[in-house]
Amino acid sequence: MPSSQKITVALLVVAFASSAGAAPDEDRLGRAKGYPLGTLGNFFYEESVRVGSFSAQGDIPGIKMNVLAPSVAPMVLSHSDSEPSIRWDVDHLKRLTVDDYLARQRIMGLLIIKDGVIQVERYQYERKPSQRFLSNSMTKSITSLAVGFALQEGKIASLDDPAERYAPKLTGTLYGGTTIRNLLRMSSGVRFTENYDGHDDLARFGRAAQREGVEAAAKLITEREAPQGTRFSYSSAETDILATVVHRATGMTLSEYLTPRLWQPIGAENSALWRADGTGMERAAGNFNATLRDYGRLGIVLASNGVRPDDPQQKQIVPREYLLDSTDWRRIPQAFQPGKATPYYGYGYQFWIFPGEKRRFALLGVYGQMMLIDPELKLVMVQAAVNATAKAGQTTLAKDADAFWRGVVRHYGSW
């Protein structure tokens, strides 16, 4: 067998490798039934259909998807000849491995890229590289990039304009009177409960938005707790309002707008799917679906400050200054810095910011979806997960993921 074929076979083995034993909670997650799809009503909450639903949301009956077409010149992702011996520590446990991480957590797919080369690619629960994984609130950062493009093109004149300037149907609502900048920082001051139990403001807002659109749903949220711009308070509705602003300012859906500006320029190999509401607009706070490798390609461009590193012309894709304003703790007010916005993370323009002197940031979604980026090391980690609870901090996932990421960073550099 030629050496090139041997390498290809070896890479396939690495790509489909998993932990030595069974993946966590396979039976509870639907293995006996072939990891079935859920329904429109239960796919987000019912764990027995979570694997199937989170890797094929577009196949759930009743869900409409908008499509972002792939690039005609995909970014080539090569594989390392061997998987690195990453080690990480958590609590009293020392020198844990990638296998240990997968054995401890409900990870469907894990991808680690260094300098544009795939170092680790693993799948569990019978998932495959060709499947599109639901990103949940990682999507918020993609919506933010749409705002950055609209600002660069003059479709949005200023981030300090109120949302209602571009979406007049929001006039008279609390969100309509909130500036785009404060929506980006989730600092509208509006009271909005988001605890993922199906009975909170998120569910109420979401049902109305699905039926009538975001502008109608905005009228349901009527209480302000603090002056806008003064504090961080996580609210998915604010991302949906941002999407409405972009839609009204550009006359396009987010998928139409971002396909030629983001998805194709980053070199996406496959189409992405984005769930739409009854009006045809994307549910922009979540519901974006792509392969793990295409998420990785996006991460590579973000780690390169908005440039595709394999482009000989080094054309700027994502507006550089907007991206830095979104992800650098030095550029954001104190109230939104790490340890202030939350006890751990800071919050930029719909991006999470790690504590520490060096610039590191994240796209995060409920149930354990993550893209973690270290621009200095050109290091990207993406995972698709099916955690037992929406909030990773309610299980060991948040602690393990942070410890594992720190181990990945230390393998290539220093924290």
Side-chain angles (χ1 to χ4, degrees):
M1 181 183 294
S3 59
S4 61
Q5 288 182 322
K6 290 179 181 178
I7 292 173
T8 300
V9 171
L11 293 178
L12 287 173
V13 171
V14 171
F16 287 94
S18 185
S19 54
D25 304 322
E26 288 179 333
D27 292 339
R28 291 172 60 183
L29 290 166
R31 180 182 180 183
K33 295 183 179 180
Y35 298 112
L37 282 176
T39 66
L40 188 58
N42 77 353
F43 83 89
F44 189 74
Y45 301 104
E46 175 55 55
E47 71 172 2
S48 67
V49 297
R50 195 164 294 155
V51 169
S53 300
F54 280 23
S55 54
Q57 190 193 38
D59 294 333
I60 297 173
I63 287 185
K64 170 182 168 50
M65 289 288 182
N66 291 349
V67 179
L68 291 83
S71 174
V72 297
M75 183 191 299
V76 175
L77 293 180
S78 60
H79 284 74
S80 172
D81 290 341
S82 60
E83 191 175 276
S85 55
I86 293 165
R87 296 292 183 265
W88 59 289
D89 305 331
V90 65
D91 297 330
H92 63 284
L93 302 173
K94 305 297 181 183
R95 295 191 61 76
L96 298 175
T97 65
V98 174
D99 286 341
D100 292 323
Y101 184 58
L102 294 174
R104 288 168 61 87
Q105 299 299 336
R106 296 170 162 194
I107 308 299
M108 292 187 292
L110 175 69
L111 184 70
I112 298 173
I113 301 173
K114 166 69 172 155
D115 294 322
V117 178
I118 295 175
Q119 307 294 317
V120 175
E121 185 174 15
R122 302 283 202 97
Y123 298 89
Q124 300 195 114
Y125 307 108
E126 302 173 14
R127 301 303 92 184
K128 301 175 182 178
S130 59
Q131 290 176 296
R132 297 181 183 89
F133 293 96
L134 178 64
S135 61
N136 289 326
S137 290
M138 282 170 52
T139 308
K140 291 179 170 67
S141 305
I142 297 173
T143 300
S144 172
L145 296 180
V147 175
F149 286 118
L151 181 67
Q152 177 178 255
E153 295 172 1
K155 304 291 186 181
I156 292 174
S158 170
L159 296 184
D160 295 314
D161 287 340
E164 62 194 21
R165 172 174 174 178
Y166 303 93
K169 291 182 180 179
L170 292 172
T171 301
T173 68
L174 295 178
Y175 289 133
T178 302
T179 68
I180 296 168
R181 193 184 308 277
N182 288 332
L183 290 167
L184 285 165
R185 289 180 176 149
M186 292 203 178
S187 61
S188 69
V190 174
R191 183 182 185 277
F192 189 90
T193 58
E194 186 158 344
N195 48 35
Y196 313 104
D197 62 1
H199 305 288
D200 54 4
D201 286 335
L202 176 66
R204 188 165 62 101
F205 181 92
R207 287 190 294 267
Q210 191 64 31
R211 292 191 311 266
E212 308 169 71
V214 169
E215 290 154 316
K219 298 175 183 178
L220 301 177
I221 310 301
T222 58
E223 183 180 346
R224 191 183 294 278
E225 295 181 314
Q228 62 170 292
T230 60
R231 72 177 193 187
F232 169 78
S233 182
Y234 192 80
S235 168
S236 289
E238 304 195 14
T239 313
D240 283 327
I241 298 297
L242 289 170
T244 299
V245 168
V246 173
H247 172 52
R248 297 303 182 193
T250 65
M252 304 180 194
T253 67
L254 290 178
S255 298
E256 291 170 336
Y257 190 60
L258 287 178
T259 293
R261 290 166 175 81
L262 180 70
W263 201 242
Q264 292 174 339
I266 67 167
E269 185 176 17
N270 297 281
S271 60
L273 303 178
W274 205 335
R275 182 185 175 188
D277 63 23
T279 71
M281 261 297 296
E282 293 81 1
R283 298 306 316 279
N287 301 287
F288 189 92
N289 300 261
T291 66
L292 217 62
R293 293 175 189 171
D294 280 341
Y295 285 128
R297 290 177 170 96
L298 173 60
I300 289 170
V301 170
L302 296 178
S304 301
N305 292 327
V307 173
R308 181 170 160 175
D310 64 343
D311 176 11
Q313 297 181 345
Q314 294 292 283
K315 179 181 178 182
Q316 194 74 35
I317 298 172
V318 176
R320 178 185 172 88
E321 292 305 309
Y322 182 86
L323 182 58
L324 292 174
D325 287 344
S326 300
T327 60
D328 190 336
W329 64 267
R330 298 168 184 83
R331 293 189 174 211
I332 63 178
Q334 186 174 13
F336 305 98
Q337 292 185 3
K340 299 293 185 180
T342 78
Y344 187 71
Y345 289 108
Y347 202 73
Y349 292 160
Q350 307 273 300
F351 286 83
W352 299 93
I353 302 174
F354 279 95
E357 182 65 22
K358 295 183 179 180
R359 173 174 160 247
R360 298 187 184 94
F361 58 95
L363 294 69
L364 301 177
V366 290
Y367 295 108
Q369 322 317 314
M370 299 181 185
M371 182 190 296
L372 313 179
I373 298 172
D374 185 318
E376 180 182 289
L377 294 175
K378 297 297 182 286
L379 185 61
V380 178
M381 174 176 139
V382 186
Q383 75 175 33
V386 284
N387 195 44
T389 60
K391 295 183 179 180
Q394 293 176 340
T395 68
T396 59
L397 176 57
K399 192 172 188 178
D400 274 13
D402 186 69
F404 181 69
W405 169 239
R406 286 170 180 261
V408 173
V409 169
R410 289 188 179 114
H411 181 81
Y412 295 104
S414 63
W415 188 263

